[in-house]
Amino acid sequence: ARVAILISGGGSNMLALLRDMASGDHPAQAVLVASNDPGAAGLARAAALGVAVAAVDHRPFGGDRAAFEAALLEPILAARPDILCLAGFMRVLTPAFVDRFAGRMLNIHPSLLPKYPGLHTHQRALEAGDAEAGCTVHEVTPVLDAGPILGQARVPVLAGDTADTLAARVLVQEHRLYPAVLRRFAAGDRTPVFL
Ligand code: GRF
């Protein structure tokens, strides 16, 4: 399967996916890493690994999401991906874009969905006094952070945790979970992965 990965920043999840796909006997290959930020550090990390990259700055498009997505679609469609992986991609996609990749677009979200869709997930878990937190890989549907769950990993919330310490603990699990889910998904198996 041909996989395109969309990032907005450092791309640590993207790197975890690329490393796993490069480790042989994987049913998928990375064909593109694209970003809405030409300055995203992940672009250079992907290029250093020999993966094709593309960037379309969303800022010149202002609030015209459809126009930005039309521009972003060009390099994506040229790469002919079978699967799209959102990995730290921080732009909300329109239903029209999502529908083009219905059933073959994944996202990783740093909470145990359905708890805490949206932003500031770790702060919200701490404020709620949750005993555990974690991350979720789900199919992307038009409703933000609400598609079928394909995997989850849990971590304990520890005394004295801040949003940053909790985020760091969850990120380690994200890098285990996303590759495990993509391996299974690319092989046509949608059985959820629970780590
Ligand atoms: C991570 O917390 C991830 O859960 C969220 O974006 C953050 C940064 O991801 N989607 P990455 O390091 O850019 O992959």
Side-chain angles (χ1 to χ4, degrees):
R2 299 170 63 86
V3 173
I5 305 172
L6 271 56
I7 65 169
S8 293
S12 70
N13 276 288
M14 170 222 35
L15 268 188
L17 294 174
L18 292 185
R19 288 199 180 110
D20 194 49
M21 282 187 270
S23 65
D25 85 338
H26 195 297
Q29 57 172 335
V31 295
L32 179 71
V33 170
S35 181
N36 63 293
D37 179 354
L43 291 170
R45 300 167 93 177
L49 293 172
V51 181
V53 296
V56 175
D57 192 337
H58 69 274
R59 288 166 296 194
F61 296 93
D64 188 343
R65 287 186 189 279
F68 162 63
E69 290 175 358
L72 184 64
L73 264 178
E74 239 177 85
I76 292 174
L77 295 180
R80 294 183 290 107
D82 302 301
I83 298 169
L84 243 56
C85 288
L86 307 183
F89 186 70
M90 301 309 276
R91 304 300 297 168
V92 172
L93 294 164
T94 65
F97 186 99
V98 172
D99 288 345
R100 286 189 83 113
F101 298 98
R104 54 198 186 100
M105 180 154 57
L106 310 181
N107 181 47
I108 187 153
H109 179 77
S111 80
L112 295 172
L113 292 173
K115 292 178 84 169
Y116 316 127
L119 297 174
H120 313 303
T121 59
H122 304 303
Q123 193 55 45
R124 291 154 70 189
L126 290 172
E127 283 162 6
D130 292 352
E132 58 178 15
C135 50
T136 303
V137 176
H138 63 94
E139 284 188 39
V140 176
T141 58
V143 178
L144 186 70
D145 299 332
I149 288 175
L150 292 170
Q152 288 195 317
R154 310 174 99 83
V155 300
V157 176
L158 302 177
D161 260 338
T162 63
D164 288 345
T165 59
L166 183 52
R169 190 172 311 122
V170 171
L171 197 59
V172 170
Q173 298 307 316
E174 293 177 31
H175 299 161
R176 296 177 62 228
L177 179 67
Y178 214 168
V181 170
L182 180 58
R183 265 181 187 270
R184 190 172 285 193
F185 190 85
D189 180 354
R190 294 179 186 221
T191 315
V193 176
F194 292 106
L195 297 182

